[in-house]
Amino acid sequence: AFALGALAEHTDWRNAGAYADSLVLVVLALVMLPVPASACVRALREVLQIAPRDLDRRVREALDAINARHRLAGYRSFVARTGRIALVEVHFRVPEDLPIGSIRTLDAIRGDVRDALDEPHVWLTVNFTGTRSGPMPQAT
């Protein structure tokens, strides 16, 4: 800013030299604005519990495969990231004629979900409900 002001003194722009400091400050602020703006957007997405697209896509792909492999009747999911923790909630719809056998079968499905997510820090909730429990919205 001082150099611009000094150079302006020797040109037809000598009156503009007084504004050189403010002009440099405005340019620097505009150049640096994307850094705090992107941090604010990330923080707002976290507060509103909007999942990152990549995490949401990976969860859906994993749940689609598990849903098909175990012949379940669909699922509904909720995904969010809070800090380093991924929050994943899954509600599987189980057909009435699906032989479950024991709780180990359901635990194995939960284990498949955890393994498929490949997240180091995940808070996972997996629920199972029958097909007669009412309409279930499309997987989200």
Side-chain angles (χ1 to χ4, degrees):
F2 292 123
L4 285 176
L7 289 173
E9 289 295 322
H10 304 294
T11 67
D12 292 337
W13 294 87
R14 74 182 56 122
N15 292 337
Y19 302 106
D21 192 33
S22 299
L23 178 66
V24 169
L25 184 61
V26 167
V27 169
L28 284 174
L30 289 174
V31 167
M32 296 178 69
L33 186 63
V35 174
S38 66
C40 286
V41 168
R42 278 193 311 272
L44 185 61
R45 288 179 64 91
E46 194 171 300
V47 166
L48 296 175
Q49 292 189 340
I50 298 172
R53 287 186 185 108
D54 179 54
L55 176 62
D56 191 45
R57 180 189 52 76
R58 286 188 296 123
V59 168
R60 284 177 188 249
E61 288 172 357
L63 294 177
D64 286 342
I66 290 167
N67 188 61
R69 183 171 53 243
H70 293 283
R71 299 184 325 272
L72 300 171
Y75 69 89
R76 184 173 178 209
S77 65
F78 171 77
V79 181
R81 182 175 295 285
T82 301
R84 64 184 181 145
I85 297 173
L87 305 167
V88 179
E89 183 175 317
V90 184
H91 303 275
F92 282 112
R93 180 180 272 176
V94 180
E96 291 179 16
D97 61 344
L98 185 72
I100 293 177
S102 71
I103 194 69
R104 288 186 183 141
T105 304
L106 299 178
D107 283 341
I109 295 173
R110 283 187 187 96
D112 286 352
V113 172
R114 178 174 290 285
D115 294 342
L117 293 181
D118 193 34
E119 278 287 320
H121 305 285
V122 64
W123 183 281
L124 178 63
T125 303
V126 179
N127 296 315
F128 298 93
T129 185
T131 54
R132 288 192 175 205
S133 61
M136 181 179 276
Q138 192 78 0
T140 59

